[in-house]
Amino acid sequence: MTKADHCRALKIRAEDILKGVAHLQGEVDAQGKTSNFAHDALKYVCLAVYYCNSVKSLHQFAKFQQYVPYKALLLVTAIIHEVLCIYKMHSFIPNESKLSSEALNSAFNMMVPKLEAVLSHAYHVPKLNAMLKEWANLGMMGYTPISCPAAAQESNHFDIILD
């Protein structure tokens, strides 16, 4: 594969992930239902950013000790979305590349209705809340992912599925 082919493949893959919002979907649960806002990348970034050992870490605040707040989850989702957009455009992250506040705000606002759909669904809201509590518990116990499992490297194309 040439460098040009590799770049083209990365751009196409990033576009496919963004089209299907695959960066949000986690594993299907025991009931065969989709897990939204549950991708391992979201979990790992939330744990690394909000629950690190830094003095400025947000895990010091009571709300973060109980669960990962929805807005914090949406911020991580928006950041991952924008990184994928950079890959879609360049096939790599240029040295001079910066995430703009306007782009992050737009991505954040785009995700709000998707989260609201999950939060208004009788089956999915308790599942999401339980997951966010689990992530906070892991973070408070000092869990940090060392490497991504193979399942995190695979992705399915999807949109928010309220089955």
Side-chain angles (χ1 to χ4, degrees):
M1 178 181 274
T2 67
K3 184 175 180 177
D5 291 338
H6 181 74
C7 289
R8 197 170 19 265
L10 279 172
K11 286 180 178 183
I12 291 169
R13 186 69 183 127
E15 184 175 7
D16 288 347
I17 291 169
L18 288 166
K19 277 184 189 172
V21 200
H23 58 293
L24 300 180
Q25 182 184 21
E27 298 294 319
V28 174
D29 66 18
Q31 310 299 325
K33 306 279 187 182
T34 302
S35 297
N36 294 297
F37 291 95
H39 194 281
D40 282 340
L42 295 172
K43 175 182 176 181
Y44 295 150
V45 173
C46 283
L47 289 173
V49 172
Y50 301 132
Y51 298 93
C52 65
N53 291 327
S54 167
V55 176
K56 296 179 182 179
S57 175
L58 294 175
H59 76 276
Q60 300 176 66
F61 297 96
K63 188 182 263 190
F64 280 85
Q65 293 171 7
Q66 298 168 18
Y67 59 91
V68 176
Y70 298 138
K71 287 185 178 180
L73 176 65
L74 287 177
L75 178 59
V76 168
T77 303
I79 290 168
I80 290 173
H81 179 272
E82 287 308 302
V83 169
L84 287 167
C85 286
I86 292 170
Y87 271 102
K88 177 183 166 187
M89 183 181 298
H90 301 286
S91 76
F92 64 96
I93 305 290
N95 290 338
E96 70 281 354
S97 185
K98 294 181 182 176
L99 297 176
S100 76
S101 59
E102 294 84 14
L104 286 173
N105 190 43
S106 176
F108 183 96
N109 290 330
M110 178 183 69
M111 296 297 168
V112 169
K114 295 179 184 304
L115 179 62
E116 288 172 346
V118 173
L119 296 176
S120 67
H121 195 275
Y123 180 83
H124 289 281
V125 71
K127 187 168 109 170
L128 177 65
N129 287 337
M131 179 194 72
L132 294 176
K133 284 180 185 178
E134 177 188 337
W135 290 5
N137 287 335
L138 286 171
M140 293 307 295
M141 291 187 304
Y143 172 86
T144 52
I146 294 172
S147 64
C148 293
Q153 296 172 8
E154 300 170 11
S155 68
N156 299 319
H157 300 147
F158 87 106
D159 204 345
I160 297 299
I161 301 169
L162 302 174
D163 46 9

